[in-house]
Amino acid sequence: SFLSLYLSLFADDVPPYFKTEPVRSQLHLERNRLVLTCMAEGSWPLEFKWIHNNTELTRFSLEYRYLIPSLDRSHAGFYRCIVRNRVGALLQRRTEVQVAFMGSFEEGERNQSVSQGEGAVVPAPRIRSFPQPQVTWYKDGHKIPPTSRIAITLDNTLVILSTVAPDAGRYYVQAVNDKNGENKTSQPITLSVENVGGPADPIAPTIIISPRNTSVVTGTSEVTMECVANARPLIKLSISWRKNGVLVSSGLSDYNRRLTILSPVVSDAGYYECEAVLRSSSVPSVSAGAYLHVLEPPQFIKEPDKHITAEMEKVVDIPCQARGVPQPDIVWYKDALPIDPVKTPRYRVLVGGSLQVNGLLPDDTGMFQCFARNMAGEVQTNTYLAVTSIAPNITAGPSDSTVIDGMSVILHCETSGAPRPAITWQKGERVLASGSVQLPRFTLLESGSLLISPSHISDAGTYTCMASNSRGIDEASADLIVWARTRITTPPQDLSVIKGTKAVMTCGVTHDPSVIIRHFWEKDGSVINVQSVPRMQLSADGTLHISQTWSGDIGTYTCRVTSVGGNDSRSAHLRVRQLPHAPENPTAVLSKSEKRAIDLAWAKSFDGNSPLIRYILEVSENNAPWAILQANIEPESTAVTVNGLIPARSYQFRLCAVNDVGKGQFSKETERVSLPEEPPSASPQNVITSGRTNQSIMIQWQPPQESHQNGILRGYIVRYRLTGLPVDYQIKNISSPDVTTLLLEDLIIWTNYEIEVAAYNGAGLGVFSHKVTEWTLQGVPTIAPGNVKAEAVNSTAIRFTWNAPNPQFINGINQGYKVSFLFHLLPARPQPTSRPLVPQKHVQPRQVLLSWEPGSDGLSPVRYYTVQLRELPDKNWTVHSASVNHEAASYIVSRLKPFTSYQFRIKATNDIGDSEYSEESEAITTLQDAPDEAPAILSVTPHTTTSVLIRWKPPSEEKINGILLGFRIHYRELLYDRLRNYIHTVNTPYSVRNLSDSTLTHYELDKLSKHKRYEIRMSVYNTVGEGPTSPPQEVFVGEAVPTAPPQNVAIQSATATQLDVTWDPPPVNAQNGDIQGYKIYFWEFQRKNGTERLRTLFMPEAGVKLKNLTGYTNYMISVAAFNAAGDGPRSSPTRGRTQQAAPSAPSFIHFSELTTTSVNVSWGEPTFPNGIIEGYRLIYEPLTPVEGVSKTVTVDVKGSGPLWLKLRDLADGVTYHFRIRAKTFIYGPEVEANITTGPGEGAPGPPGEPFITRYSSALTIHWASGDPGRAPISRYVIEARPSDEGLWDILIKDIPKDATSHTFNMDILKQGVSYDFRVIGVNDYGYGSPSLPSPSISAQKVAPFYEEWWFLVVVALVGLIFILLLVFILIIRGQSKKYAKKTESGNNSNCNALTHGDMVSLDEGRFPALELNNRRLSVKNSFCRKNGVYTRSPPRPSPGSLHYSDEDLSTKYNDLIPAESSSLTEKTSEKSDSQGSDSECEVDPNRQKTHSFVNHYISDPTYYNSWRRQQKGISRAQAYNYSESESEHGAPPPPQPQQAQGQPQGQGTLFRPKGSRTPTPSQQSSNPPSQHSTLYRPPSSLAPGSRAPIAGFSSFV
């Protein structure tokens, strides 16, 4: 049916429609970002276009938003969008964008005058602002409020009625834009009042400000009409209002000057007239009026259906009627274009607004819109008109096409039909694009064509366009071929080659197999004919080869590839480098601006096509060999001043340039320049003096340093004089430079002289030395002391005084005096009074009565008493009165603090002096008193519309004068006197609110009257009474700040420097008015005081973007709302963290332990990590190729440490460039530094070639001292390397500076490896040059004689003889039972008497056994127990030794020398009670290494516990012995029972590193006689093909 076809059509093609209409107006701040959105839907493709004030901003596109990145006032106006698809187009209702801004006042100072009694009308200075600012008028700095004489009109004009002389003055306004928060102050307006002093005659009423015609839209909150009149006397002036002649009595304010109509409606429109009457006067009244128009926005009363269907050539009416005030105008649009019935007579607008279309045609299909508009706004409605009866027809179908991969292609499909056919594109059965389907890369255009962008290889195939409407279907197909694009995938790279080498520039291409490609190369835009240049070859793959490169090959090379599958080109630059030429025309002249300096200049030469890195300057001083003077002169320099030269010497210079290829040739030498001779610049050294007799002094010195003599010395000048006296120097001239002593004679006895010495040469006298003082020897005093006096100090002491003899007659150091005297009894100081008493009945709040009993007067009358007091607990003693009557025994101590504890003490004073202070009184506390101070009111702010919040600071504790019980709030309403214009408070009592909580600091004073002004005071009270009240604070109740913070504050991390904060407004019942904006407080976590910042939003928005933050930092954010009354409370802080960012560069890079081939590099953490440091990347490379190779090494250090790296593969004398950067999730910037290997300038020279002395287990390296350099040697280091060309590494550090040999144990080397050694001196300038390598020597220990087989055999035979003798003795003694007991006693005594070499014991099998020590035999008490039981220790693991080695940081370094920190020490076995073994483990060099059982046994808790549990001195029988195993890895075989066959038992030891806590058991082990306990080494040091010895137990034979 027709309905089903209609529904099926529009199931695919839906006309455009708006989901939401925009707001009628929106206000934004300047420089804010604005996004306008066109919220429309419908069948694809939807296209959008934006219009501003009827001017097109954009063309139709798929972008539905319009972005203004930064608003300014020019962007204000009306915006609307147009949306269209294949069905039709719609015009959106407009929205007005308002931009808040504020300019400056446009007027300067101005003058205005008015006659006395007339009304002064002062217009506000003009200022450009939106919205209109809130204006406040000021006169002479004081705010002007509206009064009966002063009116401020709606347009901010100041009107002063019935002016008088005091009205003259300077007026200005302050304008505030309440949207963006800006405020401006105008230039002053000077008002003068004329005709002052004349008669005050009545003035008839005049209307100064008349009402104005006003229009307002319904829904507005209020509208105000205004009328300002003047008369004299003003008090009799009365203003009344009428509407259409009817008196109005409500809505009047401001002395009836204003009439306000709340929520105006249409019925409020009319003619409003004001009348001014002067009461009690016959003067006629005056009146003025204006019209109020109340507008009503348009509203539709009849709208069309959303879809209308009609047949061709028929007539259709589209209804549309609206009402409003004034009556709206109806405007029709078709597909967003206005309909002009004049140009299209078939379209006719009927009475009432409906549209009639006659003789329908297919082109009439589309979207029809009806707009109803009047001055109050506009509304729109729309419908889709479908004209039927024509089947679809594809008028221009798709054609077969070929496209290159990645390019765009359009398959055309133009159609006709009514209604307009819906288009569907298919590839096979897959729908690619239609009105409801939109796949990526496939776009249905408005014309019906299909856009594929970009195309892919997989897009090849057959495409079908299907057009359908309610009358039928039509389709057309075409094939699409997609060629693979021809691309250069391996483009040429910028290349830098050395002159004479080969340059290779690649040009790899991928292309479709069906196309043919062609390569050709261009140089600097010109095609290269490869066939004509023998040095060039072009490979089949497009690679260009250039051999024997020279400077003519420098340029930009472009590879071009052409084919039907596309063209491509890539370029690269070729640079040919060579050594720089020598600098030209070097000259050297004496500097005219500096002494001891020479100015060098040269001309820059060819740089070898590579930027110069530096210049090297060499110098020859006094024809000495050439030496480097400066090695890093800036490459841009062409002149340099060499200073710090030595006078009277000659210099010659030469230079060479350095680029990245290497060092060029030296320039020719400059002329030799000699510096003139100068006086010596240093004084003689080590000037010393000594007194020889009482009239002579000997002086000795050494010449100045040679570098400061500045010429040939001619002699010395010695000058001397008496110390500290203004006398002239006496001079001694020594004319021989070889004389360095002088005896000064004929001096004064016991006199101090100051002496100085200076050298001179041909240029003059040099610098005198520091003053040296010396005395001639002493003489004998010649006079006695004078003016001897004696005076009494007290009753038991006399002071003697005298004048010392004149020092000039003492003739030496005064050694002392002899005193003789007689004495008589005198009066003394008084004794202290008794302990002061304070009766409690005499204690008052601010004074107490103190009483005491006098002490002895010391035989002299007491003159007065001094009273001191101390405030407890911590105050110092202070004098309260020092003039208490001598006859008093009591005293009132006043000026005390209430409720304070004191102590008192007293002293008496007579003619001799003061007594000691009396004993301190008991602590007393003064009584409480009323408080002395009121609380300080910090703020009084409206809290709600009927309450205020009071915040205060209590008085200090010392002002409360007792125990604080609470606070009292005194408040009263202020009455406003309209006639006298002041706040009337006479006889108005205060209300009191009592607060009994003494800890309060704020309180909400509620139950107040709304829209009233209050006066508030506060006081405190204690048990005695109430203190004074605070100064009054006034507050207006009615406007209140928000009482709740914003809700649901949420933080979203946007970037490393931005946090997005959102929130919900405070609850409506807590807003207390319109929210005008928000304040966002934010600070770094735990750093609030130092980092808190504030962002203020002057719009009630619910989100903000905080920018310019620190990366990966926690921030605390709190939000507060504010309204016209002020700020509300802040929300609880919410934490958010910015995202990670790249870290800053490491804080420093440092080099240490620099030698010729190694350096220790360390660096600092980044100052700003901006995230979690995951590691560091170290890159180093030589600045110039080493042996023709420039190698770049990259080392990644994982984690945040360590922050150092030891590099051992450097070349001597090469400058390396180091770069280090840190990484979070990406790498940050680099810190860079250069370092040159080898000894620096001033470092020590090489020591003499070392030679080595070998011992059994140690080596001694000897060397001779070399040149110390410019500073003394501070220490030596020894480097070692394997002889097979391994890397040098530091073996031993910090060898004393005076040493010429050093001995070390071979345990720190790897056994069997041959080593070379060399010695390096170190001073303050760094590591010096190394010595020549020593002869190679093997790190193989020599076994001591007692480990040789023949010595062990002899010891075994001797032991066997002793065992037989012992058995023989025991057998003889056992034959007689009579002596059994004696025999047992004899055995014990015999055992204790054994000496070294006689130690014999029995095992459990009663076989004799001998136990030997490595160096001497020791008595073991385990063989001689009181109970007579002889046992043997059980077998225990013989770990041998533990070896710990540090892994190198990089696997490329083979550290064959253990670091010092991993050297091994040994710990002996657990000693016996009688005597411990002092033997050391010696290693057999021919013996193979044993497998360590340390890991096996220590990890087994049974062995570990068995060592720990054994009681000291108790041993157990050996149960098993292990024999050598044939296992490849030396695994132990199953244990076999075996009896001891008289084998002497050795004592094993466990080696462990220093500081190890591994248990060290006492053990006895058993091994074949040839096996000895050795130091364990890694298997890598075993000889090839050797077998490991038996693991487990070992015995010493």
Side-chain angles (χ1 to χ4, degrees), residues 795-1007:
S795 60
T796 60
I798 299 175
R799 179 184 293 110
F800 285 90
T801 59
W802 60 85
N803 293 336
N806 193 321
Q808 60 182 330
F809 299 110
I810 294 179
N811 297 329
I813 299 174
N814 191 348
Q815 301 293 327
Y817 299 90
K818 293 182 179 179
V819 179
S820 301
F821 61 91
L822 296 174
F823 60 90
H824 302 279
L825 185 63
L826 296 175
R829 297 182 181 183
Q831 294 298 312
T833 68
S834 65
R835 183 181 187 183
L837 300 176
V838 182
Q840 187 61 38
K841 65 180 180 178
H842 293 147
V843 176
Q844 298 182 22
R846 300 180 189 270
Q847 68 180 33
V848 298
L849 177 64
L850 196 67
S851 61
W852 65 89
E853 294 182 3
S856 170
D857 61 1
L859 304 179
S860 177
V862 172
R863 300 301 183 185
Y864 58 89
Y865 291 99
T866 299
V867 176
Q868 279 193 335
L869 60 82
R870 177 173 63 179
E871 185 178 329
L872 299 179
D874 300 324
K875 296 295 181 69
N876 297 324
W877 287 100
T878 59
V879 174
H880 184 273
S881 175
S883 58
V884 178
N885 190 290
H886 65 281
E887 297 179 350
S890 64
Y891 176 72
I892 296 176
V893 182
S894 59
R895 306 190 305 277
L896 301 182
K897 297 178 183 178
F899 203 58
T900 304
S901 297
Y902 291 93
Q903 279 186 311
F904 305 91
R905 65 181 185 182
I906 301 172
K907 73 175 179 181
T909 302
N910 64 7
D911 295 336
I912 306 302
D914 298 335
S915 71
E916 298 294 331
Y917 275 101
S918 68
E919 185 182 353
E920 301 167 359
S921 70
E922 292 184 355
I924 64 100
T925 301
T926 55
L927 302 180
Q928 297 188 51
D929 201 356
D932 290 336
E933 192 174 277
I937 299 180
L938 302 179
S939 65
V940 181
T941 56
H943 194 60
T944 68
T945 56
T946 59
S947 66
V948 296
L949 183 63
I950 306 173
R951 298 182 184 275
W952 66 85
K953 179 181 178 182
S956 60
E957 187 175 351
E958 61 183 12
K959 297 294 184 180
I960 295 175
N961 299 337
I963 299 175
L964 177 63
L965 297 182
F967 303 89
R968 288 195 176 105
I969 299 177
H970 306 257
Y971 63 99
R972 64 181 175 182
E973 180 183 332
L974 298 178
L975 302 179
Y976 191 77
D977 191 320
R978 293 177 178 268
L979 296 179
R980 295 178 178 81
N981 192 24
Y982 63 86
I983 303 299
H984 185 64
T985 60
V986 178
N987 299 326
T988 303
Y990 281 97
S991 299
V992 178
R993 190 76 57 90
N994 205 59
L995 310 180
S996 59
D997 187 351
S998 61
T999 62
L1000 290 178
T1001 58
H1002 63 273
Y1003 178 75
E1004 181 183 359
L1005 183 61
D1006 55 2
K1007 299 180 181 178

Side-chain angles (χ1 to χ4, degrees), residues 1486-1491 1523-1531 1571 1582-1591:
N1486 300 319
R1487 150 146 198 211
Q1488 303 303 321
K1489 301 193 179 301
T1490 61
H1491 173 74
S1523 62
E1524 183 171 357
S1525 171
E1526 294 299 324
S1527 172
E1528 180 179 355
H1529 300 291
Q1571 302 298 321
L1582 295 174
S1586 63
R1587 292 172 55 203
I1590 296 174

Side-chain angles (χ1 to χ4, degrees), residues 398-399 401 403 408-413 425 445 447 449-452:
S399 59
S401 303
V403 67
S408 300
V409 62
I410 295 177
L411 300 179
H412 294 282
C413 186
W425 279 93
L445 302 181
S447 64
S449 300
L450 178 66
L451 170 65
I452 306 175

Side-chain angles (χ1 to χ4, degrees), residues 1249-1252 1254 1259 1281-1285 1288 1313-1318 1332-1339:
E1249 181 177 358
F1251 63 93
I1252 300 175
R1254 184 189 185 100
L1259 297 176
R1281 72 174 180 187
S1283 300
D1284 55 354
E1285 298 303 325
W1288 287 105
V1313 178
S1314 294
Y1315 288 91
D1316 300 333
F1317 301 93
R1318 66 183 185 184
L1332 295 174
S1334 69
S1336 299
I1337 188 168
S1338 175

Side-chain angles (χ1 to χ4, degrees), residues 1316-1342:
D1316 300 333
F1317 301 93
R1318 66 183 185 184
V1319 183
I1320 300 175
V1322 184
N1323 66 6
D1324 292 340
Y1325 290 89
Y1327 283 63
S1329 300
S1331 67
L1332 295 174
S1334 69
S1336 299
I1337 188 168
S1338 175
Q1340 191 71 38
K1341 292 185 179 180
V1342 178

Side-chain angles (χ1 to χ4, degrees), residues 726-789:
V727 296
D728 295 333
Y729 282 102
Q730 301 184 51
I731 305 295
K732 297 288 185 180
N733 185 6
I734 301 170
S735 58
S736 172
D738 299 325
V739 176
T740 58
T741 61
L742 176 64
L743 180 65
L744 295 180
E745 299 180 308
D746 299 327
L747 305 179
I748 302 173
I749 299 173
W750 185 240
T751 302
N752 194 11
Y753 287 85
E754 58 184 39
I755 303 165
E756 301 173 73
V757 184
Y760 62 89
N761 57 18
L765 183 64
V767 179
F768 276 98
S769 64
H770 291 294
K771 293 179 181 179
V772 178
T773 60
E774 187 61 57
W775 291 80
T776 53
L777 300 185
Q778 300 186 48
V780 178
T782 56
I783 63 173
N787 195 23
V788 179
K789 296 180 180 180

Side-chain angles (χ1 to χ4, degrees), residues 267 302 380 388 457 560 645 701 983 1166 1178 1231 1463 1492 1556:
S267 60
K302 185 180 292 187
Q380 69 90 18
T388 62
I457 296 293
R560 296 192 180 277
L645 303 179
W701 65 88
I983 303 299
L1178 168 67
V1231 60
S1463 60
S1492 172
S1556 172

